[in-house]
Amino acid sequence: LIDRAWWKESVIYQIYPRSFNDTNDDGVGDIPGIIEKLDYLDDLGVDIIWLNPVYESPNADNGYDIADYQSIMDEFGTMEDWEELLDGLHDRGIKLIMDLVVNHTSDEHEWFVNARDPDSEYHDYYIWKNGRTDIDGFTGHLGPEDEAPPNQWESFFGGPAWAYDEEVGKWYLHLFDEKQPDLNWENPEVRDEIFEMMEWWLDKGIDGFRMDVINLLSKPDSVTKHDPPQNSTQVWETFDGPRMQEFLDTMHDRVLADQDVFALGEMMGRMDMETAIDYVGRDGPLSTLFHFDHVLLDHGGKIWETNEWTLNDLRDSFNRWQYGLADDGWNSIYLSNHDQPRLVSRFGNDDEYREESAKLLATLIFTLRGTPYIFQGAEIGMTNYPFDSLDEFRDVETINPVRNALESGEIDNFDDIKHGLRHNSRDNARTPMQWDDSEHAGFTDGEPWIGVNPNHDEINVEAARDDEDSIWHYYRELMELRKDSDVSDVMVYGDYEVLINDHEEVWSYVRTLGDERLLVTLNFAEWESHTWIPEYEVDFNPHDMEAELLLCNYGADERATDVDAEAFDLRPWEARIYRLK
Ligand code: ISL
Ligand code: CA
């Protein structure tokens, strides 16, 4: 018996509006720009659009600092534009999910402006604390001379997670930028406001929410009930706080339960499976989640620090979730988004084997068990940007910590960390979509708000659509297999079973649903690799099986089609999907 859901069978395409398509030449993508590309999305064949925040915002964090939840940012257009977008999507059978950013607001939100008056009913919408005076030698304060912040939590964007407010004479919590004060979810009025706002959007006809850093809503008792201990430096104390389950259960019961909507939670930190199942299992409040296991593999502690990842690490982190949510819960499969560098530059090879490796990574995304995500530009194999100076960056997560480190002398000059920033910065994902080979890649006729990748003369949608062997067409083939073929069910719902768990180059797995079996085999190397199906690891006899090739990123040539089911020689970055019969 298959536990079907439309959002399990769907492919999600993520649009970062600022960088998608600009129609009024101010250099900033806009909603009319998305409307202009509706047929493009339809041709590609995606089912759900996740739209990054388009609400009114001073853009300290590109829309993740919301000043009004119920209006559209001027730069992006009007509410009428947004309604036209929704209708245009629905006309094409595409659903729309909106970003829900309710851990924090902008400091320019009316609530926060009013909260600065301690007598206002809004004061308690945020988290205010007195500074500490009982510590020696604390030097990092940005408050009065004799005060240090309430505790030593560091914000995710660098510097203390508390800012001193002159008017109030207290400190407010901001886990992200100073311009993103955290809402006080302990306050029932905050919860009511948010739930009503969610209902308002659902009434407008949207199909669900992508919930930003949703497991941070409930703060630890050390902050809500007591004066926080000065020595708590661990901001991860804020993950999955004591009332997290309760808050989401209430949200589910009040807002989501009686509607057929998709609820996707972004979950920070490294989560244990029990907690995950509480959130997304059969009885949980959410449909699925984003975890960070695999995208943290190659990050160091600082934004410019990197680690080498290995295939074993990558496979282990996916195995954990594939097996962890096998019986209850549902995965989201992503290798990139607006916060992550480009997948082909990171997990593939953006040079000689760009096409092959981009297709291999797509094969992985579409054949693991879970809902697949395409971040705009992945479908043409867009790469990281060759950043050369700090002025070229726009992201607060990159700029703030680098400035601080330069000022404090922690780093001497930009060039020492350039390599790391090129690898890690979120701005890699945010350079404009490459539509064609014209001056600004067809994104704008004005001055783009962030640099267009110089490789757009080769890597662009127009060229990709013209070339039958392109990454773009390969994405379409994968989607066709997944949604509209004899193997769709096994591709979506089949069990996942990994083969040869310690192969250093090749990741292979079998997906099984009843008698249907798919074998996926992927060579993560620039050289040829050999692999096989070890009999002792599977409950069928590979010697008795015929392997029918369904898709290969080198095409259906003899090497890929004429094989024994038990052994395979793979070319550099080769990816194959077989049906075993
Ligand atoms: O952890 C990160 C990258 O590995 C961070 O970049 C990121 O802040 C984290 O993923 C949380 O992301 C979400 O909330 C942030 C916002 O800046 C991100 O764009 C958003 O996706 C604060 O709202
Ligand atoms: Ca514009």
Side-chain angles (χ1 to χ4, degrees):
L1 209 83
I2 304 181
D3 187 11
R4 291 183 184 274
W6 57 266
W7 42 265
K8 294 180 179 170
E9 298 176 10
S10 295
V11 172
I12 302 190
Y13 188 90
Q14 183 192 345
I15 294 183
Y16 195 69
R18 180 163 294 272
S19 306
F20 195 62
N21 185 29
D22 173 26
T23 51
N24 63 348
D25 300 341
D26 63 352
V28 172
D30 41 52
I31 293 174
I34 306 173
I35 296 173
E36 210 172 83
K37 299 294 183 185
L38 282 171
D39 286 335
Y40 171 77
L41 300 168
D42 198 23
D43 289 349
L44 182 60
V46 298
D47 309 289
I48 303 177
I49 298 298
W50 154 27
L51 191 59
N52 282 108
V54 291
Y55 317 98
E56 193 182 311
S57 162
N59 285 309
D61 185 20
N62 288 0
Y64 281 93
D65 47 324
I66 298 175
D68 182 348
Y69 286 108
Q70 276 145 297
S71 67
I72 301 293
M73 188 193 306
D74 288 340
E75 270 183 315
F76 286 172
T78 62
M79 189 58 84
E80 288 67 46
D81 294 330
W82 180 86
E83 282 160 3
E84 191 185 330
L85 170 65
L86 179 68
D87 290 345
L89 288 168
H90 283 172
D91 287 347
R92 290 166 179 78
I94 303 174
K95 298 190 190 297
L96 177 65
I97 64 169
M98 295 287 281
D99 226 303
L100 181 79
V101 189
V102 294
N103 174 69
H104 43 267
T105 68
S106 164
D107 64 342
E108 297 181 33
H109 194 292
E110 199 181 40
W111 297 341
F112 191 78
V113 175
N114 288 320
R116 288 195 151 123
D117 170 3
D119 297 328
S120 152
E121 56 176 311
Y122 293 103
H123 185 68
D124 200 32
Y125 272 41
Y126 297 86
I127 300 165
W128 300 97
K129 292 277 161 184
N130 290 316
R132 306 283 298 207
T133 48
D134 54 346
I135 30 139
D136 295 327
F138 183 81
T139 52
H141 63 83
L142 302 159
E145 277 309 306
D146 55 346
E147 271 189 31
N151 72 9
Q152 293 182 38
W153 285 352
E154 275 235 7
S155 112
F156 293 112
F157 294 159
W162 300 91
Y164 182 73
D165 189 277
E166 296 276 346
E167 211 176 309
V168 183
K170 288 190 177 186
W171 302 69
Y172 65 86
L173 179 69
H174 62 91
L175 293 179
F176 294 88
D177 190 64
E178 215 178 302
K179 285 183 67 64
Q180 293 168 297
D182 282 55
L183 282 166
N184 176 18
W185 272 74
E186 296 292 316
N187 181 346
E189 274 156 42
V190 168
R191 302 199 293 272
D192 285 346
E193 295 255 24
I194 299 295
F195 296 156
E196 277 162 33
M197 178 272 285
M198 291 174 73
E199 273 161 0
W200 187 86
W201 279 104
L202 287 169
D203 288 346
K204 290 185 83 66
I206 67 168
D207 304 289
F209 295 103
R210 175 270 186 188
M211 304 177 175
D212 193 59
V213 295
I214 203 68
N215 65 329
L216 303 188
L217 300 188
S218 164
K219 310 303 184 224
D221 293 348
S222 66
V223 165
T224 55
K225 299 215 174 106
H226 316 285
D227 275 343
Q230 175 60 35
N231 60 4
S232 61
T233 56
Q234 318 292 5
V235 87
W236 48 87
E237 286 172 20
T238 55
F239 301 150
D240 309 303
R243 297 183 69 185
M244 212 41 255
Q245 197 64 39
E246 175 205 330
F247 291 160
L248 290 182
D249 284 343
T250 316
M251 177 190 287
H252 177 262
D253 295 347
R254 285 214 9 211
V255 185
L256 308 168
D258 52 355
Q259 312 206 35
D260 185 19
V261 294
F262 178 56
L264 155 65
E266 187 201 28
M267 303 278 174
M268 288 188 79
R270 188 177 156 89
M271 182 172 290
D272 61 69
M273 252 345 114
E274 232 171 278
T275 310
I277 290 172
D278 284 343
Y279 290 135
V280 303
R282 225 160 271 123
D283 306 316
L286 305 179
S287 318
T288 178
L289 57 78
F290 285 142
H291 65 78
F292 282 75
D293 285 12
H294 57 299
V295 294
L296 291 174
L297 291 176
D298 59 349
H299 277 243
K302 307 274 179 169
I303 182 78
W304 57 85
E305 288 171 354
T306 59
N307 273 327
E308 289 287 324
W309 66 274
T310 66
L311 180 61
N312 281 319
D313 299 334
L314 188 69
R315 184 175 40 216
D316 282 353
S317 64
F318 277 100
N319 282 345
R320 190 167 95 86
W321 287 92
Q322 290 288 297
Y323 288 110
L325 300 185
D327 300 324
D328 198 9
W330 189 254
N331 276 296
S332 284
I333 313 291
Y334 77 99
L335 290 176
S336 63
N337 61 35
H338 66 294
D339 291 334
Q340 303 297 330
R342 292 283 174 179
L343 71 170
V344 70
S345 300
R346 184 180 196 181
F347 298 114
N349 172 315
D350 64 7
D351 192 21
E352 191 186 345
Y353 292 106
R354 188 183 65 89
E355 300 247 350
E356 290 82 355
S357 64
K359 290 174 183 172
L360 174 141
L361 295 170
T363 311
L364 176 68
I365 294 172
F366 284 90
T367 59
L368 286 175
R369 189 167 186 271
T371 299
Y373 292 75
I374 307 172
F375 176 65
Q376 66 185 41
E379 75 274 29
I380 54 168
M382 279 178 63
T383 66
N384 283 353
Y385 184 92
F387 292 102
D388 242 337
S389 69
L390 195 53
D391 318 330
E392 289 180 282
F393 291 95
R394 298 287 175 270
D395 181 20
V396 48
E397 190 201 52
T398 303
I399 297 171
N400 280 4
V402 173
R403 275 211 190 118
N404 292 343
L406 283 169
E407 266 164 35
S408 70
E410 186 185 355
I411 48 176
D412 289 335
N413 62 64
F414 174 82
D415 281 340
D416 294 348
I417 56 164
K418 183 166 95 175
H419 177 78
L421 293 182
R422 278 187 178 186
H423 184 83
N424 287 342
S425 176
R426 308 196 295 187
D427 278 336
N428 284 301
R430 301 175 180 185
T431 66
M433 182 71 183
Q434 294 164 206
W435 297 103
D436 59 37
D437 63 3
S438 66
E439 193 190 351
H440 301 305
F443 164 70
T444 181
D445 288 331
E447 228 4 81
W449 71 277
I450 187 171
V452 175
N453 198 311
N455 64 20
H456 72 272
D457 52 354
E458 257 176 67
I459 303 173
N460 63 67
V461 169
E462 198 176 71
R465 292 188 69 162
D466 284 348
D467 171 8
E468 260 176 49
D469 294 328
S470 69
I471 300 166
W472 195 83
H473 285 283
Y474 190 85
Y475 266 79
R476 293 192 63 197
E477 283 178 86
L478 277 166
M479 279 187 266
E480 213 174 287
L481 267 186
R482 195 173 188 279
K483 297 194 298 182
D484 192 19
S485 81
D486 294 347
V487 296
S488 297
D489 274 349
V490 60
M491 227 166 136
V492 175
Y493 295 106
D495 289 339
Y496 165 94
E497 212 178 341
V498 68
L499 302 176
I500 332 181
N501 216 1
D502 54 4
H503 200 303
E504 284 178 15
E505 286 91 23
V506 181
W507 183 357
S508 308
Y509 43 94
V510 178
R511 302 284 312 277
T512 308
L513 187 72
D515 295 336
E516 275 292 352
R517 253 191 203 102
L518 297 183
L519 169 72
V520 180
T521 183
L522 311 166
N523 181 20
F524 279 77
E526 269 102 77
W527 52 86
E528 301 221 352
S529 302
H530 178 74
T531 189
W532 62 97
I533 304 182
E535 274 177 73
Y536 52 89
E537 285 184 13
V538 292
D539 66 355
F540 56 89
N541 183 352
H543 301 276
D544 292 344
M545 308 224 76
E546 196 197 312
E548 179 205 341
L549 185 77
L550 297 178
L551 192 64
C552 171
N553 59 352
Y554 277 75
D557 62 2
E558 220 171 282
R559 265 194 79 162
T561 52
D562 188 17
V563 295
D564 291 328
E566 69 264 33
F568 307 87
D569 287 303
L570 301 175
R571 288 160 281 193
W573 292 102
E574 184 164 4
R576 299 180 190 172
I577 308 174
Y578 290 105
R579 186 179 192 177
L580 298 179
K581 296 203 275 206

